[in-house]
Amino acid sequence: MPRMGVATCIRASFDDASRAASTALERALSYMRLKMDVSDLSGERATRSNTIADINSRDPLFVLGEGHGSPSNFTGQNKEIIFQVCNCSELKDRVVYLVSCEAGDQLGPDIIRKGAKAFIGYKKPFLWAMAAIGDPLTDPYGKGAFEPVLELIYRLADGRTAGEAYNASMDKWNQWIDHWSRSTDPVAPLVLQTLINDRDCQVLLGDQNATIAAPAPAMPVPIPAPAAIQVPLSMILGLVPIAAVAAVIAGNELRRISF
Amino acid sequence: MSVQEKIARLSAFIRQNPALANIPFMTVAGRPVSPAEALAMLQSGQNIHEVVMGLSRLGIDPDWELVEEFYKRLAAARPDVKIYGLGLPPMSPAEALQHIRARDEIGRQLLETYSRMLAYMRERMGGL
């Protein structure tokens, strides 16, 4: 039986889109590591053989994947197929979240048919806009697409049900859609399109009451910041992450875990 | 709903959703127009019937002309921004425009995405 509090994460990182998404998900992993036993198969390690070996040896309840996808498959590094329709029985009894284009269309339903507890993914392309290549969470246009993704993972790691995590994520999409609807930035209509698309294409299949970790209080996410700045200010400000302080100073939205 | 009520609702929509004010959202007299342009037409008494009909059908029929016009405007205003996807190649607005003009698979996906935004606009307008 899959083990509660154990997760396998697959993160492709070989082109601009997968590198950006993988970077954004690094924060989710930082949070999960505070509460769970996490195995991170990133970059060259994001292969099918490594994934199967990790699942067989650690028996994780939660499988999180980021990579390119299509209606019938999910891929890892260099688009190597990791899960595909009719070849995903190793996900039986697990909770699966695939941050990927279109896998929610055919692969997600097949994963549920093969006995997975719950599946979360996207029925259509998962899209975002960015002003420059890099971390979407520090990009003015990319941030809104990944915060809902992280919110979902944070809530699952907090021990919330798949349904609660999904709803928290939808709330986050709606907050960002409202935000960009009021914007006069010329890129706002494009950002809105991607956010509305991603929100409307996010699906939760299977058991809405499935959980992956024991209930636990929310915690601040350890957020990477340039070491040269973080160390001296951390000494002054205690353990408050510098990125959170910067967000307050900039007048940005400050959430318990994400902003 | 009277034309005056439609004008009031469209004005409120534009005020509350400035990001959506200049998005091509219907075709009037053979050309794509935005909510701001549609409002100006209603206020000046031009093409009233077409605008009213267009409002009632907003987002129902996917329209290549609208999405093409959108990316044409975006390519002129912000050629530097890029669209990324975990299944699509990264695209500048000009590259997106090429796919839309070619009516290829990526262009079709961009059209679907655009249609979802029009449906969202329709919802925000509260039925015009």
Side-chain angles (χ1 to χ4, degrees):
Chain A
M1 205 60 187
R3 295 191 299 148
M4 179 78 105
V6 178
T8 294
C9 301
I10 307 142
R11 292 188 296 141
S13 180
F14 62 94
D15 58 9
D16 289 345
S18 63
R19 269 193 291 270
S22 177
T23 301
L25 283 188
E26 176 57 46
R27 299 206 188 175
L29 265 68
S30 297
Y31 190 75
M32 287 167 65
R33 286 190 191 105
L34 297 174
K35 302 175 171 223
M36 301 176 70
D37 171 8
V38 179
S39 170
D40 182 18
L41 304 176
S42 60
E44 295 300 326
R45 299 181 65 225
T47 63
R48 173 155 173 91
S49 60
N50 283 341
T51 302
I52 300 307
D54 196 76
I55 289 175
N56 287 341
S57 63
R58 296 173 60 254
D59 203 12
L61 180 54
F62 184 43
V63 176
L64 169 65
E66 167 272 311
H68 288 274
S70 73
S72 60
N73 66 47
F74 166 76
T75 70
Q77 192 71 355
N78 300 319
K79 298 191 181 177
E80 177 184 332
I81 292 177
I82 294 189
F83 303 122
Q84 62 183 325
V85 168
C86 297
N87 193 11
C88 55
S89 54
E90 53 278 345
L91 297 173
K92 186 174 185 297
D93 294 326
R94 308 184 202 282
V95 175
V96 181
Y97 180 18
L98 299 181
V99 184
S100 165
C101 284
E102 301 182 297
D105 184 28
Q106 296 168 25
L107 178 60
D110 197 53
I111 285 172
I112 293 297
R113 277 195 296 274
K114 297 291 188 299
K117 278 191 171 176
F119 171 88
I120 303 161
Y122 301 88
K123 286 188 296 186
K124 297 287 178 183
F126 181 89
L127 302 172
W128 68 96
M130 283 203 296
I133 294 169
D135 180 356
L137 292 167
T138 58
D139 185 282
Y141 306 133
K143 193 168 154 179
F146 282 91
E147 279 202 353
V149 170
L150 298 194
E151 186 75 11
L152 204 154
I153 298 167
Y154 295 150
R155 296 294 177 106
L156 285 173
D158 287 342
R160 303 295 184 87
T161 67
E164 289 168 337
Y166 180 87
N167 289 337
S169 168
M170 294 302 263
D171 289 345
K172 209 55 161 163
W173 292 118
N174 288 330
Q175 285 172 22
W176 276 107
I177 289 166
D178 284 344
H179 168 83
W180 282 106
S181 292
R182 293 191 298 271
S183 171
T184 55
D185 187 313
V187 183
L190 178 66
V191 177
L192 266 175
Q193 271 183 72
T194 63
L195 295 176
I196 293 165
N197 176 77
D198 297 344
R199 178 196 65 181
D200 291 356
C201 297
Q202 183 168 276
V203 292
L204 164 61
L205 308 173
D207 182 4
Q208 303 224 345
N209 293 316
T211 57
I212 64 163
M219 298 170 75
V221 177
I223 297 172
I229 303 169
Q230 189 168 17
V231 172
L233 271 178
S234 294
M235 288 165 66
I236 299 165
L237 300 168
L239 295 174
V240 179
I242 184 62
V245 177
V248 172
I249 293 167
N252 289 343
E253 176 194 17
L254 176 61
R255 291 288 318 275
R256 78 187 160 90
I257 45 179
S258 171
F259 50 86
Chain B
M1 188 188 298
S2 71
V3 171
Q4 286 310 313
E5 284 173 315
K6 286 185 191 296
I7 288 173
R9 280 216 196 174
L10 200 49
S11 300
F13 171 81
I14 290 168
R15 203 169 46 247
Q16 289 158 12
N17 304 279
L20 301 168
N22 297 303
I23 289 177
F25 79 141
M26 67 166 76
T27 305
V28 176
R31 72 177 185 91
V33 300
S34 66
E37 291 164 334
L39 177 64
M41 285 179 178
L42 288 178
Q43 287 171 330
S44 63
Q46 294 174 351
N47 304 106
I48 288 182
H49 180 68
E50 269 195 272
V51 172
V52 168
M53 286 297 289
L55 288 171
S56 70
R57 298 195 53 76
L58 182 59
I60 292 173
D61 300 320
D63 189 332
W64 285 100
E65 271 182 49
L66 298 180
V67 67
E68 185 171 336
E69 180 66 20
F70 171 79
Y71 279 102
K72 205 190 297 178
R73 292 182 190 183
L74 184 64
R78 285 297 302 267
D80 56 312
V81 74
K82 278 204 170 186
I83 309 152
Y84 294 85
L86 288 169
L88 297 178
M91 281 173 283
S92 66
E95 288 164 335
L97 187 56
Q98 284 174 4
H99 287 292
I100 290 157
R101 285 178 171 157
R103 306 287 196 261
D104 62 16
E105 178 57 22
I106 292 173
R108 192 189 55 73
Q109 288 175 328
L110 292 170
L111 173 67
E112 277 186 26
T113 301
Y114 197 77
S115 299
R116 282 189 200 96
M117 184 175 63
L118 295 185
Y120 169 78
M121 290 171 73
R122 180 188 177 90
E123 182 190 309
R124 282 249 164 165
M125 285 179 186
L128 276 169

